[in-house]
Amino acid sequence: MDFPFLWQTVRTLSAGIPLTLLLATLSVAIGVVIAIAIAAARLWGPRALQQAAKFYVFVFRGTPLLVQMFLIYYGLGQFEAVRSSLLWPVLREPFWCAILALSLNTGAYGSEIVRGGLQSVSHGQREAARACGMSPWLAFRRIVLPQAVRQALPAYGNELILLCKATSLASMITLMEITGLAAKLISDTYRVIEVFAAAGAIYLAINFVLTRIVAFADHRLTAHLRPVATGKPAPDTRLTGAKP
């Protein structure tokens, strides 16, 4: 392996990191809103809205993300109504098509995680909050939501990592993020191993930082579950004969 070329490749591919992070950040921000809305629709919405939310989750979880991205980028432009609409200046741009596909996809997966977190809070705790005089919104904000976030965070952390890696599919619709730059560099040099090894190392570094952020958040949210050190010495059982 040519290590000088490998280092140069890392520097070249680093130019795609800002676009990769921008794709991931915007998709996560929009996807969280979609996930919460879909989870709320499935839990508390009318029957018609529940069925529509279930269908949305079924479609976007049951089809490949790459197919969804192709349908949005290449498919929508075939309709005259779309080309003449106000959304066309956005939908004709590969960047926003990638954001839309990633957001809709992660929103479907995230909605199931959010729904599971909300359902993990027992009904008895809601009843106890109401018995203490809390309104439904106050009980949700103080009792249900904090516990649901703690339950959903580990699984949602995995979804964030998967989404970060899924941004590599944006290279298929001409975006020059890390994978797109790697494909271009391979076509110029025909050195597959070094280029993809460098790209994999960059994704690994990004996801390492992301996992540390999720672990830190989980550590802060579960502080009450860890034993508290009292600082008192253990009792001396030698004189009493008691078992330690």
Side-chain angles (χ1 to χ4, degrees):
M1 183 171 294
D2 189 348
F3 287 100
F5 175 77
L6 183 64
W7 172 244
Q8 182 62 35
T9 300
V10 171
R11 296 180 59 184
T12 301
L13 299 183
S14 297
I17 294 178
L19 180 55
T20 296
L21 295 180
L22 183 60
L23 286 170
T25 303
L26 290 179
S27 299
V28 167
I30 300 173
V32 166
V33 176
I34 295 175
I36 294 174
I38 295 299
R42 293 196 62 180
L43 289 174
W44 304 300
R47 183 173 180 81
L49 192 58
Q50 291 180 16
Q51 295 301 320
K54 288 181 180 179
F55 179 75
Y56 162 79
V57 173
F58 172 74
V59 170
F60 280 91
R61 290 176 65 195
T63 56
L65 175 57
L66 184 60
V67 173
Q68 298 165 16
M69 198 171 293
F70 280 164
L71 287 175
I72 292 173
Y73 181 63
Y74 295 110
L76 293 180
Q78 297 181 4
F79 299 97
E80 180 63 30
V82 175
R83 293 197 301 269
S84 60
S85 67
L86 296 176
L87 296 176
W88 180 240
V90 174
L91 294 176
R92 69 184 180 185
E93 298 293 333
F95 175 80
W96 292 111
C97 288
I99 291 292
L100 181 59
L102 291 169
S103 300
L104 292 174
N105 186 271
T106 191
Y109 284 95
S111 67
E112 292 297 281
I113 298 173
V114 173
R115 186 171 67 93
L118 292 172
Q119 290 181 324
S120 67
V121 182
S122 65
H123 185 70
Q125 296 193 50
R126 296 184 176 91
E127 292 296 325
R130 295 296 299 274
C132 292
M134 293 186 182
S135 64
W137 167 246
L138 185 61
F140 177 81
R141 183 168 60 88
R142 290 187 175 181
I143 306 299
V144 178
L145 185 60
Q147 296 184 72
V149 170
R150 287 196 297 267
Q151 294 292 334
L153 183 60
Y156 213 97
N158 289 335
E159 174 60 23
L160 297 181
I161 294 172
L162 293 174
L163 177 64
C164 184
K165 294 186 293 185
T167 57
S168 62
L169 296 177
S171 62
M172 303 300 293
I173 56 173
T174 72
L175 288 180
M176 288 293 104
E177 39 73 66
I178 296 173
T179 305
L181 291 176
K184 183 178 183 300
L185 191 58
I186 289 174
S187 65
D188 294 336
T189 63
Y190 299 98
R191 305 179 73 164
V192 178
I193 295 179
E194 291 94 335
V195 175
F196 275 142
I202 293 175
Y203 281 111
L204 188 63
I206 293 174
N207 285 323
F208 174 78
V209 175
L210 183 58
T211 55
R212 293 301 91 198
I213 293 174
V214 173
F216 175 76
D218 184 66
H219 181 78
R220 292 294 300 271
L221 291 174
T222 57
H224 64 289
L225 300 177
R226 295 188 296 274
V228 179
T230 60
K232 297 181 179 180
D236 191 351
T237 59
R238 291 176 297 178
L239 300 178
T240 60
K243 294 184 179 179

